[in-house]
Amino acid sequence: MRKWLVILVFSGFLHSGWGAEELAKGSRATDVEDRAGDSLGWEFFENKVRPILVDHCFRCHGEEPKKVKGGLRLSSRMGMVKGGDSGAAMVPGDTERSLIIQAIRYKDADTAMPPKRKLSDLEIGDLTKWVAMGAPWPSLLPKVEEGLVTKAPYDWEKMRREHWSFRPVVLAKPPQVEDGGWAKTEFDRLVFAGLAGAGLKPNPQADSRTLIRRVYLDLIGLPPTPEQVKDFLSDKRPEAFSEVVDELLESEHYGERWGRHWLDVARYSDGLGGSTDGPNLPYAWNYRDWVVKSFNDDLPYDQFVSRQIAGDLEKPEAYPVGTGFFAVGPTYISDGNDPVAQLLAQAETLSDRVDTFSRAFLGLTVACARCHDHKFDPITTKDYYAIAGVFHNTAPVEISLASQESTDAHKLGQEKIREAQKIFNEFTKDSEGGGKKGKRVLGPGEQEKFDQLKENVDRAKKDAPMKPIGAHILKDTGRADMHVAIRGDLGKRGDLVPRRFLEIIAGANAPHFTEGSGRRELAAAVVRPDNPLTARVMVNRVWQWHFGEGLVRTSGNFGILGEKPTHPEVLDWLAARFMEHGWSLKWLHREILRSATWQMSSAYDGAKFAIDGDNRRLWRMNPRKLEVEDWRDSLLAVSGELDPTVGGVPIEKILESPRRSIYAKISRSGDQFDSDAFFRLFDFPPAQATADRRATTTVPQQYLFMMNNQFMLKRAKALAHLLESFGNDEARIRVAYERLYGRLPEDQEMKAGVNFLRDHPENWPKYAQVLLSTHEFMQIQ
């Protein structure tokens, strides 16, 4: 049985469109991911690690020979690896063998560093994480664009003129190409021209069964039913596919699927980030529901951005819930009353706000300029504190979303509870019903009064209205400009910096933000049509979520360390048209989905793969795994158990619930709930920072979950029960393949299933579990 299971699982893997040749050569496709990962590592170093080294280490272990102690230089990666008199200070990837990690943990008084004061838990955590990451250090960078990086002050005009992301968005006219009628949209012609230039031809269109399954999983994260597949296959009208797209975009489940994408960017969680992070966020789910509704309502993206930065300040009607974008993120607290620790927590909170803001909306790593001018991008330290100054004048608060009537009713109910409890406590302070030891036993007639008073308390609690629903939002607390923090230390003030937008975009004479915190003015600067970044960044994200890879593969970094776009003309064409169409995301979806580029087959072609193994030229659709949420939801859908209710409070035990996965309760620390462990097993991103993309892994633990976890066993039994009414084994197998894969079983699949089930109906749950565990079910082809 075990051998048969493995064979069937592996056959499902091959049916996903990945042949043996491609599996053997697939390592080529990881090169770019590795580079993107390095880029994120370099950002982490600049944002988190370099400030610690500058503040606490370079004084004794820097570059000046006369001041170097113990022969140890910590001013370069090579210096750390080489070490000093005590040996190698750092072993990349190994925290236990790295002496620097042992020293900062203060376990040995003789080697504890820094000598004057132990680092904070935050700083120790960041250094430990950095070593575990392999100690990425920007001095190991590949050669960057010639002539673009100079010592600050930067050559602003040259940078605006020569780096692709700072140039204005240009609507290129697609060329006329001899494509044999392949192109369906204007930007298809741009893609085709790029393919032709590389000596490639695009794959043909995917078959109808693949297309209908692909579009359902892509837009709503659920597979089509057999009836929906049959309806589409029987509709031969040219507009049939476009009508399916329109129908799915109007589904409330569209917002759930695409809202979850955005929640990765927003580093959404329900709080509980650990001892140095903020507390539980009981109303974070209202921001989640706001995001889902915004996608469903097709809220124009420029308004979507503005309401997340300053929705509470918009007139005449305020939209405060959107500012949960910042408020549900980490708000660091000190691990004591030490003023230095308090300032560090404040600095880390500001860094989170700036980093999330700049990467999410602008695709820039502004937080890397916290302690010094950005080493690679034209972002100065003053730019950082100009933006940080905006958030320095804000604080997360909890507000009520209830009417005044509901709020008053709740207050009155609480007063009645307190009054009833007070009377009960006064009566029982010297006595206790039941005659507990140390208390006077109630006399005749007193037990009846005791029972009545206790009943009054219980009734008051039962009758009291529930606490009004609230939301976590950002609120203005001041309007002061901020000083540069020398080397990132808020206790060491430098120049006073006016709050303003980034100089590379707004120019040297960028207007000073003076209205409250400056958030309204900041939001307006971000969504100005002449800002070359905002539309490009979101178009690229949408493309990435449709294709698995962005046109710019570093979707949160459009700077020098980021990758150049593979199709800059396509990116600009879509960005310009996106703005022309009122920043409508649903327009953007329609434009992409009706293209020949998106509708291509994902079939492997050895000759094309040899030329372009990373598929940078877009000669085929990228086959990709479903995100864990949509895979789990699909399991519930095909077994007939999914609860389609939209919105509401989060669910703590998601593996015991039929609700969609977006409604799971998740902690920022990633270790508080059952859902944390489950999601983490299947590549869910940590909620500590904005996530530009998800890792994709295939590890034994995932298949062990599929073969042994009660969640999978229950889905298999439910599917087997659902299939009982479909006659004989052949009919059930056919229906199962249609429900799970949107296709009929091949002859060998039918034969293998029938042989396994013949005269053994008790094997149906086992067989259903195998079908649910195949790679094909987990994949968008």
Side-chain angles (χ1 to χ4, degrees), residues 397-418:
V397 297
E398 183 182 307
I399 63 167
S400 172
L401 298 179
S403 65
Q404 189 61 48
E405 181 182 2
S406 298
T407 302
D408 292 342
H410 176 259
K411 288 181 179 179
L412 180 60
Q414 295 303 303
E415 289 175 5
K416 289 180 178 179
I417 293 173
R418 285 192 293 271

Side-chain angles (χ1 to χ4, degrees), residues 45-84:
F45 175 85
E46 292 294 342
N47 194 17
K48 302 288 187 180
V49 178
R50 191 188 291 273
I52 299 172
L53 298 177
V54 170
D55 253 5
H56 301 286
C57 306
F58 286 180
R59 189 176 295 107
C60 300
H61 302 286
E63 285 296 323
E64 296 184 40
K66 293 182 180 179
K67 294 185 178 180
V68 172
K69 296 184 179 180
L72 175 61
R73 295 179 187 271
L74 300 180
S75 53
S76 70
R77 189 175 189 270
M78 184 178 294
M80 285 192 177
V81 173
K82 182 179 178 182

Side-chain angles (χ1 to χ4, degrees), residues 383-404:
D383 277 326
Y384 174 85
Y385 287 98
I387 303 298
V390 173
F391 297 108
H392 195 51
N393 287 287
T394 66
V397 297
E398 183 182 307
I399 63 167
S400 172
L401 298 179
S403 65
Q404 189 61 48

Side-chain angles (χ1 to χ4, degrees), residues 5 14 138 143 260 310 426 433 458 480 563 586 612 727 777:
L5 281 171
L14 294 182
K143 186 176 180 181
R260 182 57 254 184
E426 288 177 351
D458 294 340
E563 293 200 29
K586 289 189 177 181
D612 182 22
F777 183 73

Side-chain angles (χ1 to χ4, degrees), residues 704-759:
L704 288 172
F705 177 95
M706 292 181 224
M707 298 178 70
N708 299 309
N709 192 274
Q710 284 297 314
F711 175 79
M712 291 296 296
L713 299 179
K714 289 177 181 178
R715 304 296 77 75
K717 289 177 182 178
L719 177 60
H721 179 70
L722 187 71
L723 297 172
E724 285 177 358
S725 62
F726 288 94
N728 57 29
D729 286 341
E730 288 88 343
R732 294 181 195 176
I733 292 171
R734 239 184 328 266
V735 173
Y737 270 77
E738 288 183 300
R739 287 185 71 85
L740 272 60
Y741 313 131
R743 64 175 178 86
L744 295 171
E746 296 181 2
D747 290 344
Q748 68 270 27
E749 292 171 325
M750 176 64 79
K751 184 177 180 180
V754 169
N755 287 340
F756 178 69
L757 296 166
R758 182 180 293 126
D759 300 326

Side-chain angles (χ1 to χ4, degrees), residues 346 350 382-394 477-485 490 493-501 510-519 521:
Q346 186 180 12
L350 286 174
K382 289 186 176 181
D383 277 326
Y384 174 85
Y385 287 98
I387 303 298
V390 173
F391 297 108
H392 195 51
N393 287 287
T394 66
T477 58
R479 53 183 302 147
D481 292 328
M482 190 175 180
H483 289 267
V484 167
L490 292 179
R493 289 187 169 189
D495 295 339
L496 187 67
V497 182
R499 289 160 292 147
R500 55 169 175 76
F501 202 39
H512 182 188
F513 299 159
T514 58
E515 182 184 334
S517 65
R519 283 186 291 132
E521 295 150 295

Side-chain angles (χ1 to χ4, degrees), residues 336-601:
N337 294 321
D338 180 4
V340 175
Q342 291 175 345
L343 288 176
L344 177 62
Q346 186 180 12
E348 290 296 329
T349 300
L350 286 174
S351 179
D352 165 79
R353 305 289 190 262
V354 175
D355 185 53
T356 306
F357 160 79
S358 63
R359 286 171 60 187
F361 302 128
L362 304 173
L364 294 177
T365 56
V366 174
C368 290
R370 170 178 161 187
C371 303
H372 50 75
D373 291 344
H374 202 296
K375 296 292 184 182
F376 308 100
D377 295 341
I379 302 168
T380 64
T381 304
K382 289 186 176 181
D383 277 326
Y384 174 85
Y385 287 98
I387 303 298
V390 173
F391 297 108
H392 195 51
N393 287 287
T394 66
V397 297
E398 183 182 307
I399 63 167
S400 172
L401 298 179
S403 65
Q404 189 61 48
E405 181 182 2
S406 298
T407 302
D408 292 342
H410 176 259
K411 288 181 179 179
L412 180 60
Q414 295 303 303
E415 289 175 5
K416 289 180 178 179
I417 293 173
R418 285 192 293 271
E419 184 62 27
Q421 189 71 53
K422 180 181 178 182
I423 295 171
F424 178 76
N425 291 344
E426 288 177 351
F427 177 76
T428 61
K429 63 182 179 181
D430 294 324
S431 61
E432 187 66 51
K436 287 189 177 180
K437 186 176 181 181
K439 298 288 186 178
R440 177 178 62 83
V441 177
L442 294 174
E446 289 184 312
Q447 184 66 49
E448 183 177 345
K449 187 173 182 180
F450 174 91
D451 294 340
Q452 181 61 52
L453 292 177
K454 188 174 186 303
E455 183 181 343
N456 291 346
V457 174
D458 294 340
R459 186 186 303 112
K461 290 180 179 179
K462 182 179 180 181
D463 294 344
M466 293 180 63
K467 184 179 179 180
I469 293 174
H472 307 285
I473 71 166
L474 212 58
K475 179 184 178 182
D476 276 10
T477 58
R479 53 183 302 147
D481 292 328
M482 190 175 180
H483 289 267
V484 167
I486 297 174
R487 295 197 301 274
D489 184 349
L490 292 179
K492 300 175 182 177
R493 289 187 169 189
D495 295 339
L496 187 67
V497 182
R499 289 160 292 147
R500 55 169 175 76
F501 202 39
L502 303 175
E503 184 170 350
I504 186 62
I505 300 172
N509 298 314
H512 182 188
F513 299 159
T514 58
E515 182 184 334
S517 65
R519 283 186 291 132
R520 279 191 68 187
E521 295 150 295
L522 178 62
V526 171
V527 299
R528 280 176 58 103
D530 59 353
N531 177 351
L533 293 170
T534 306
R536 277 182 178 138
V537 168
M538 190 54 181
V539 164
N540 187 66
R541 290 191 190 281
V542 172
W543 187 281
Q544 173 184 291
W545 293 327
H546 274 306
F547 287 87
E549 294 284 1
L551 294 166
V552 181
R553 296 196 172 193
T554 50
S555 52
N557 190 348
F558 279 30
I560 301 298
L561 292 184
E563 293 200 29
K564 295 180 181 179
T566 56
H567 296 72
E569 297 88 356
V570 174
L571 180 61
D572 273 16
W573 191 92
L574 286 170
R577 300 280 285 159
F578 177 48
M579 289 187 283
E580 286 177 6
H581 284 80
W583 300 78
S584 167
L585 288 168
K586 289 189 177 181
W587 172 85
L588 184 58
H589 289 305
R590 291 186 182 97
E591 194 67 17
I592 290 174
L593 294 175
R594 71 185 185 91
S595 71
T597 305
W598 184 87
Q599 294 182 23
M600 272 193 293
S601 164

